[in-house]
Amino acid sequence: MELRILEYFLAVAREQNITAAAESLHISQPALSTQLKAMETELGKQLLIRGVKGSRKVMLTEEGMILRKRAEEILSLVKRTENEITQSDETIAGNVFIGAGETDVVRLFARVAKKLQKKYPDIRYNISSGNAEHVLEYLDKGLIDFGLLFTEIDPQKYEAIPVPIKDTWGVLMRRDSPLAKKETICPEDLWDKPLIVSHQKGDDTYLGRWLQRKESELHIVATYNLIFNASLLVDEGLGYALCYDKLIHTQGSKLCFRPLSPQLEAPGFIVWKKYQMFSKAANIFLQYLRELLEKEM
């Protein structure tokens, strides 16, 4: 399957209309239709539903949606590879791709980037936010150079540097909540409370040990992936959110944060694939990152 045909398919998926897609690609509508039918024949699957509700609109089948996702990843990786190869030997420029969840530790990346900025102004930093599954998926597919994770790492697949800064778990709540009067929150304080918890894999076990209760014994009213969304649920009085400190600025708001007692910290790791071939930009970023971490530790 040619890359050009994948670009054609993505144009149709974007426009939801073959004629409009053909115009954006500067080819004829019959030629585009022929290419699309040839792709479907090659794959042995219908990718598009044509003439939706009697209109010229097209929709993706389930197989078409899978192809769209993979095509976007393939073309992104091809473009990235082209950029890395075409850079001159003297120039350190290009993109550094980083995947991370919501954590104050991202400041480490910002500090490294700031230090590099004056000497290497043509390096661009691309942050992809998501949970551990998202970061590992993107690492495995080569879509990011580095990942920031707070979970166990497979040493057979990844290299990792421990981060000297640890995130502290606590509870985000309204200032008028009964628990807001306490300086720290104990496990028994939460046993009968409506909880909003992270649905990231591993966090449930991690927090379950601290809470001394199974998930079925707790009153979990919602789960979240992004803490900002969870903070809105808290603000509306739905429950108490278990999360890391320093992610929601509570000063001047109706919300407050209280740390857990006994203290619960999450150690982090900066991770990349074993035997990873880095671009010059990613290599220099890793070099400066190591130097910064050596000073911090």
Side-chain angles (χ1 to χ4, degrees):
M1 187 183 301
E2 297 179 29
L3 296 177
R4 172 176 55 88
I5 306 304
L6 291 179
E7 291 175 342
Y8 289 178
F9 175 75
L10 287 179
V12 174
R14 180 183 65 248
E15 300 291 343
Q16 297 185 322
N17 182 284
I18 294 177
T19 301
E23 291 176 355
S24 71
L25 295 166
H26 305 293
I27 62 175
S28 69
Q29 183 269 329
L32 179 56
S33 294
T34 299
Q35 296 281 10
L36 294 172
K37 289 178 181 177
M39 176 187 284
E40 290 179 317
T41 300
E42 178 184 351
L43 296 174
K45 295 289 184 179
Q46 182 181 358
L47 303 173
L48 301 167
I49 302 172
R50 298 160 175 85
V52 177
K53 295 182 180 179
S55 68
R56 294 185 178 182
K57 184 177 181 180
V58 297
M59 292 180 61
L60 299 181
T61 63
E62 183 176 350
E63 290 79 10
M65 288 187 283
I66 293 172
L67 180 60
R68 179 180 62 183
K69 184 175 187 296
R70 298 298 181 226
E72 289 171 344
E73 293 172 351
I74 290 168
L75 293 175
S76 174
L77 191 55
V78 168
K79 184 177 180 181
R80 177 182 168 188
T81 303
E82 290 174 345
N83 290 338
E84 291 172 358
I85 292 173
T86 55
Q87 294 294 335
S88 70
D89 292 336
E90 297 78 20
T91 303
I92 295 183
N95 292 277
V96 176
F97 296 87
I98 301 166
E102 292 179 299
T103 166
D104 194 58
V105 181
V106 170
R107 290 182 182 275
L108 277 176
F109 294 135
R111 287 159 62 186
V112 175
K114 178 65 176 176
K115 191 172 182 179
L116 284 166
Q117 193 174 54
K118 187 174 182 179
K119 190 173 182 180
Y120 305 107
D122 295 324
I123 296 178
R124 176 181 294 180
Y125 304 93
N126 305 270
I127 306 294
S128 176
S129 298
N131 59 19
E133 290 91 339
H134 168 93
V135 172
L136 288 172
E137 179 186 358
Y138 271 47
L139 273 175
D140 291 341
K141 291 178 178 176
L143 298 176
I144 57 175
D145 300 304
F146 308 102
L148 177 59
L149 296 169
F150 293 86
T151 186
E152 293 183 2
I153 307 301
D154 182 355
Q156 301 299 317
K157 292 181 63 176
Y158 307 104
E159 300 282 358
I161 305 174
V163 176
I165 305 169
K166 295 183 179 181
D167 272 327
T168 301
W169 280 96
V171 183
L172 186 69
M173 65 187 80
R174 287 172 57 112
R175 292 185 185 277
D176 58 2
S177 300
L179 294 184
K181 298 175 182 177
K182 303 191 65 172
E183 293 186 2
T184 59
I185 305 301
C186 301
E188 55 269 28
D189 293 329
L190 300 175
W191 288 346
D192 62 344
K193 298 295 188 296
L195 303 180
I196 302 168
V197 300
S198 165
H199 62 63
Q200 178 164 300
K201 186 179 179 181
D203 282 351
D204 51 354
T205 304
Y206 198 58
L207 288 168
R209 287 198 296 264
W210 182 88
L211 284 163
Q212 304 167 27
R213 288 290 186 273
K214 297 178 181 178
E215 182 177 330
S216 59
E217 298 174 315
L218 299 169
H219 182 29
I220 297 175
V221 295
T223 65
Y224 70 87
N225 183 27
L226 299 174
I227 186 57
F228 176 75
N229 291 337
S231 74
L232 299 181
L233 302 183
V234 175
D235 191 57
E236 291 297 326
L238 183 63
Y240 296 80
L242 279 77
C243 61
Y244 294 150
D245 194 6
K246 301 178 182 177
L247 297 182
I248 298 295
H249 296 288
T250 58
Q251 188 173 3
S253 75
K254 295 190 295 183
L255 304 181
C256 63
F257 179 89
R258 298 291 182 265
L260 303 182
S261 178
Q263 188 178 54
L264 184 63
E265 294 182 323
F269 300 89
I270 295 167
V271 182
W272 62 94
K273 288 174 67 176
K274 273 186 174 291
Y275 316 114
Q276 174 79 16
M277 294 297 293
F278 287 126
S279 66
K280 287 179 288 185
N283 256 324
I284 198 69
F285 180 83
L286 180 58
Q287 177 187 324
Y288 274 59
L289 181 61
R290 286 184 184 276
E291 292 174 0
L292 176 63
L293 291 175
E294 285 174 4
K295 294 177 181 178
E296 295 278 345
M297 296 180 74

